[in-house]
Amino acid sequence: MTNPYSFDIASLSVAIPEIFLLSAIVVILLIDLFLTQPFKQVTYYLTQLSLLITAILAFNLIGQPDTIIFSDSFILDKLAAVFKVLMLGAAMVAMVYTRHYLIQHSLFRGEYFILVLLAMLGMMVMVSGYSLLTLYLGLEILSLSLYTLIAIARKRSNAIEAALKYFVLGAIASGLLLYGMSMVYGISGSLNIGEIAQFSSATNLGGREALIINFGLVFLVIGIAFKLGAVPFHMWVPDVYQGAPTATTMFIATVPKIAVVAMLVRILIDGLGAMQLDWQGLFVALSLLSIAIGSLAALMQTNIKRLLAYSTISHIGFIMLGFVTGVIAGYGAAVFYVLAYVIMSLAAFGVIILLNKKGFEAEQISDYKGLNKHAPWFALMLLIVMLSMAGVPPFIGFYAKFFILQQILSAGFVSIAIIAVIFAVISAYYYLKIIKTMYFDVPEEGNTFSISAPMDMQIILSINAVLILVVGLLPNQWLKLALSLF
Amino acid sequence: MEFEQILFYIFSFWFVASSLAMIFSRNAAKAVLFLILAFFSAASIWILLEAEFLAIILILVYVGAVMVLFLFVIKMLNIDKSTLRAKFAGYLPLGLVVAAVIVAEMILVLGSHQFGLEVVAAPARHSADYSNITVLATQLYTTYVYPFELAAVLLLIAIIAAITLVHQSQIKRKQQSISEQVKVRAKDRLRLISITSPNKKTKEVDGG
């Protein structure tokens, strides 16, 4: 018998980004402990530096052949490497905005950045997870960090309420996901995604096996839908978005969505792809409900964070439609939509954070009255974001919706496409309402929109918003990239 | 009936009975004690299944640490039972329907006709010198070393989160700030308020 404890250390080279990030977290945690108050900014710069180095390490792994290590529980393929680079890039942008917000609201603490880094580690584990166990552990690392990032504003009662709500509902969803995983494990006899795929695609799958694997599948879909915030598992989204500190809301709204989509791809396509017809129906219902509720409920909102929450729900509906098609072109369109959504959300929350002042959150839509008079450049940025979210060409949001609808139509779901388009038109109303508020309403007395954000945030935010236009003009390169991941 | 089967039924009976007693008991402290009994019964069943290590861990960790903590919390907090029960009664009919549907579905899908001995073979028996802990440790440090490390990260987050949420920087500490005491001026500490009282009698009393 060979020595079970021997392993080839060179094989771990594909996990270098994770290994580096975890080491960096521990080092930063210790450095932060000894920093006195005037030097707390060092934690922020170290966080950005370690995110950058991790992104470079992950970038170097793009193009490596598919490798599975750690006893078949970690995979490095193109999807994992590209998603990691995108998540780390999005997190770096988010941290630039976050610093301004935390300073404005005296929440600046080293732990905030350390928890963000830990959440990033969890998401990277999810993206690379090749066994149900590691996918679940990555998800829990992510969720636990997020709960704390919300509750870190412990003096605000609505932040505590949001954290508690998210925690309880998140725990129930994790339980459902685990239950589904235990069923799939019980019948297939393996936690490994590859072996589950082999088991479920066997042509002689008996009635007993098919029944139990379907039973588990339902729970898996519910767990994933909850984490994405799809209707009818969306009740936490508006409350958490509104109650959490805006910087945390921005983080929750952007990077984890990429990771959950990766988990969806790993479980439902890599693992249970042979059962696509079984989960297709569930996805049709989830996505149509999300698009409808997300579009209709947003019409009545006066709080911009709540409005963006419902807008997220409707975007999630479109992303899930891409997976309904069951073809690679559809999955690619869904990944393109996720990228577009993340860029747009970052810019939208960036503008909200930009307009924050000491002790004042620009949360109400009425706070944006006459923004154009005082800060025409950032009004233009928000205009681009809103038009893109509404799906107006030539912005990225238009192509995202266009590719999804194209794939849905070519897969033969004409009625679904029609319903989605009708609700997309309805949702344009509230995006245009914000534009109208910014450009045509008279500002309220005493609202001067003094912009106190540092230059680096203003520049990054401008680049972020202009990117919506640039990618919108050259969407084919990005679509090709998205398609090459499958 | 074999001796082992008799033991299994005894332990199962206590498991189910104490779980029900836990749910229906009105006293929270009693509920915790019933839960401890349920854990002991579950641990006994695990020993019958040759999972000795897990059984011992269940008793050591859950009964020894978690449940004692629970008891502490229950004794510390003054839980208002009447409000809890009022909400409970409102949701009871709907809850019963949902629970009945779920139980029926689970029996149909997961009943003994799916996982019974006729369908799935019984696991092989191990000899007396078979070491549970060795096998578990070998698995944990070889095949499952990556999930094992991730679980450690999860615990690290729990520590950071707990300290972040509870730690109050220097507010609660009863610390003397000498420089502030020296710098203090009369107007910071003393407030003169001129009181004009319409009632003369009171004023006289005050003066006296």
Side-chain angles (χ1 to χ4, degrees):
Chain A
M1 191 179 145
T2 54
N3 183 2
Y5 301 103
S6 69
F7 69 101
D8 179 18
I9 202 149
S11 71
L12 299 186
S13 65
V14 290
I16 278 286
E18 282 84 356
I19 294 170
F20 171 78
L21 188 60
L22 182 57
S23 322
I25 290 168
V26 177
V27 171
I28 295 173
L29 192 61
L30 286 174
I31 292 176
D32 182 64
L33 185 66
F34 293 104
L35 287 174
T36 49
Q37 201 55 46
F39 299 104
K40 280 287 179 194
Q41 294 284 336
V42 173
T43 312
Y44 164 75
Y45 289 111
L46 285 175
T47 303
Q48 287 287 34
L49 183 70
S50 41
L51 284 174
L52 180 69
I53 296 176
T54 316
I56 292 170
L57 291 172
F59 186 80
N60 284 335
L61 292 173
I62 297 178
Q64 288 247 353
D66 294 4
T67 322
I68 299 173
I69 56 164
F70 285 131
S71 314
D72 299 344
S73 56
F74 180 102
I75 186 172
L76 185 102
D77 54 2
K78 196 171 178 195
L79 180 91
V82 170
F83 267 32
K84 278 177 201 170
V85 175
L86 291 170
M87 289 192 313
L88 290 160
M92 285 175 73
V93 174
M95 284 309 104
V96 173
Y97 304 162
T98 300
R99 177 170 73 138
H100 174 60
Y101 180 86
L102 296 181
I103 293 173
Q104 292 293 305
H105 294 274
S106 26
L107 288 169
F108 194 95
R109 297 169 70 181
E111 295 88 15
Y112 192 98
F113 295 102
I114 288 156
L115 284 166
V116 166
L117 286 178
L118 283 164
M120 290 307 298
L121 180 71
M123 285 187 266
M124 289 167 72
V125 169
M126 279 165 77
V127 168
S128 270
Y130 204 58
S131 109
L132 296 179
L133 191 58
T134 43
L135 283 167
Y136 174 72
L137 281 168
L139 183 68
E140 282 306 292
I141 291 176
L142 166 68
S143 309
L144 220 60
S145 314
L146 290 185
Y147 305 144
T148 321
L149 284 176
I150 300 171
I152 209 162
R154 57 180 177 202
K155 281 177 191 147
R156 303 187 201 168
S157 59
N158 53 359
I160 298 295
E161 186 199 324
L164 211 60
K165 209 172 255 179
Y166 194 24
F167 175 68
V168 172
L169 290 175
I172 293 172
S174 292
L176 291 175
L177 193 71
L178 263 187
Y179 193 65
M181 286 177 175
S182 73
M183 283 302 138
V184 172
Y185 174 59
I187 197 69
S188 72
S190 175
L191 287 167
N192 179 259
I193 298 287
E195 282 170 32
I196 291 170
Q198 252 178 14
F199 177 85
S200 67
S201 61
T203 42
N204 55 352
L205 204 62
R208 170 177 166 270
E209 283 93 348
L211 181 69
I212 291 168
I213 212 161
N214 258 314
F215 186 76
L217 181 69
V218 173
F219 284 96
L220 289 175
V221 170
I222 291 174
I224 292 169
F226 178 90
K227 296 291 173 189
L228 279 173
V231 179
F233 310 103
H234 69 294
M235 294 312 287
W236 61 276
V237 182
D239 291 339
V240 169
Y241 274 42
Q242 189 185 1
T246 310
T248 307
T249 309
M250 171 178 62
F251 190 69
I252 295 177
T254 51
V255 195
K257 299 284 187 271
I258 306 180
V260 178
V261 166
M263 186 172 86
L264 189 161
V265 171
R266 293 277 181 239
I267 295 181
L268 293 183
I269 295 172
D270 289 355
L272 297 168
M275 314 196 64
Q276 206 268 343
L277 284 177
D278 292 303
W279 53 261
Q280 191 182 44
L282 296 172
F283 264 56
V284 169
L286 287 170
S287 50
L288 283 184
L289 277 173
S290 301
I291 294 172
I293 304 278
S295 305
L296 293 178
L299 295 176
M300 294 159 246
Q301 304 306 323
T302 55
N303 182 305
I304 194 161
K305 278 157 83 180
R306 235 181 145 74
L307 187 144
L308 284 173
Y310 282 108
S311 139
T312 300
I313 293 171
S314 125
H315 287 309
I316 290 296
F318 273 98
I319 291 168
M320 291 179 101
L321 270 188
F323 293 104
V324 168
T325 57
V327 290
I328 286 175
Y331 303 154
V335 169
F336 182 85
Y337 202 116
V338 176
L339 299 184
Y341 162 77
V342 168
I343 296 174
M344 293 189 294
S345 288
L346 275 176
F349 283 106
V351 176
I352 297 177
I353 289 176
L354 184 87
L355 297 176
N356 268 274
K357 278 173 285 193
K358 274 219 179 332
F360 169 74
E361 297 226 24
E363 273 194 343
Q364 301 301 320
I365 294 176
S366 57
D367 293 336
Y368 293 80
K369 279 184 182 170
L371 179 65
N372 182 41
K373 284 223 176 69
H374 295 281
W377 175 251
F378 291 106
L380 179 70
M381 299 291 115
L382 197 55
L383 172 83
I384 292 177
V385 176
M386 288 302 149
L387 286 180
S388 176
M389 280 194 172
V392 175
F395 300 107
I396 188 171
F398 165 74
Y399 287 101
K401 284 198 171 69
F402 174 75
F403 291 141
I404 293 276
L405 291 172
Q406 195 184 28
Q407 291 310 321
I408 280 288
L409 282 175
S410 64
F413 297 100
V414 180
S415 51
I416 293 178
I418 292 172
I419 297 172
V421 168
I422 289 173
F423 282 108
V425 172
I426 293 175
S427 69
Y429 164 76
Y430 54 82
Y431 297 124
L432 294 176
K433 197 173 80 178
I434 294 178
I435 295 173
K436 177 223 157 211
T437 315
M438 285 192 304
Y439 277 87
F440 302 110
D441 284 3
V442 185
E444 278 170 10
E445 284 289 314
N447 201 351
T448 54
F449 297 111
S450 59
I451 287 171
S452 56
M455 215 14 131
D456 63 336
M457 173 173 176
Q458 298 195 18
I459 293 171
I460 296 280
L461 179 59
S462 305
I463 294 173
N464 185 348
V466 171
L467 201 64
I468 295 174
L469 182 64
V470 173
V471 180
L473 292 174
L474 308 157
N476 278 333
Q477 301 302 320
W478 289 75
L479 185 66
K480 257 185 211 151
L481 175 74
L483 285 172
S484 71
L485 301 181
F486 292 95
Chain B
M1 201 185 280
E2 285 176 53
F3 178 61
E4 210 172 299
Q5 262 179 320
I6 297 169
L7 281 180
F8 171 78
Y9 281 115
I10 292 173
F11 291 137
S12 305
F13 170 76
W14 279 114
F15 191 18
V16 175
S18 56
S19 303
L20 287 175
M22 181 201 88
I23 294 168
F24 290 111
S25 94
R26 303 201 152 206
N27 185 331
K30 272 187 196 162
V32 170
L33 293 175
F34 278 122
L35 190 58
I36 291 175
L37 183 58
F39 279 147
F40 267 105
S41 321
S44 318
I45 294 175
W46 279 0
I47 286 183
L48 289 183
L49 289 171
E50 298 184 8
E52 299 90 6
F53 181 70
L54 282 180
I56 292 167
I57 284 293
L58 182 72
I59 291 176
L60 278 183
V61 174
Y62 277 86
V63 178
V66 178
M67 281 303 121
V68 172
L69 215 66
F70 257 54
L71 266 183
F72 261 115
V73 172
I74 286 165
K75 287 288 168 199
M76 297 274 197
L77 293 178
N78 185 16
I79 301 166
D80 187 5
K81 286 174 219 150
S82 55
T83 54
L84 285 176
R85 231 170 264 147
K87 285 254 174 75
F88 181 71
Y91 291 122
L92 190 62
L94 187 66
L96 280 179
V97 172
V98 172
V101 170
I102 290 179
V103 167
E105 282 176 353
M106 281 169 70
I107 290 172
L108 281 178
V109 179
L110 310 172
S112 58
H113 59 291
Q114 306 280 27
F115 284 102
L117 278 177
E118 313 86 70
V119 191
V120 186
R125 293 264 155 185
H126 294 292
S127 57
D129 61 344
Y130 181 83
S131 168
N132 224 309
I133 302 173
T134 317
V135 176
L136 208 63
T138 315
Q139 284 288 309
L140 213 53
Y141 291 110
T142 56
T143 316
Y144 292 100
V145 69
Y146 180 53
F148 185 68
E149 293 287 330
L150 291 177
V153 174
L154 209 56
L155 288 179
L156 176 69
I157 295 178
I159 296 170
I160 296 174
I163 293 174
T164 307
L165 295 183
V166 180
H167 175 71
Q168 304 216 340
S169 50
Q170 298 176 353
I171 299 167
K172 281 274 171 77
R173 219 179 290 159
K174 285 179 180 165
Q175 193 183 31
Q176 251 186 331
S177 170
I178 296 168
S179 60
E180 280 196 13
Q181 286 177 334
V182 172
K183 274 191 284 184
V184 82
R185 289 204 214 149
K187 71 171 173 84
D188 300 333
R189 293 277 165 92
L190 197 67
R191 209 150 52 103
L192 291 172
I193 303 166
S194 54
I195 299 169
T196 48
S197 165
N199 197 340
K200 271 199 172 177
K201 254 189 183 171
T202 335
K203 208 174 181 183
E204 278 164 22
V205 173
D206 279 351

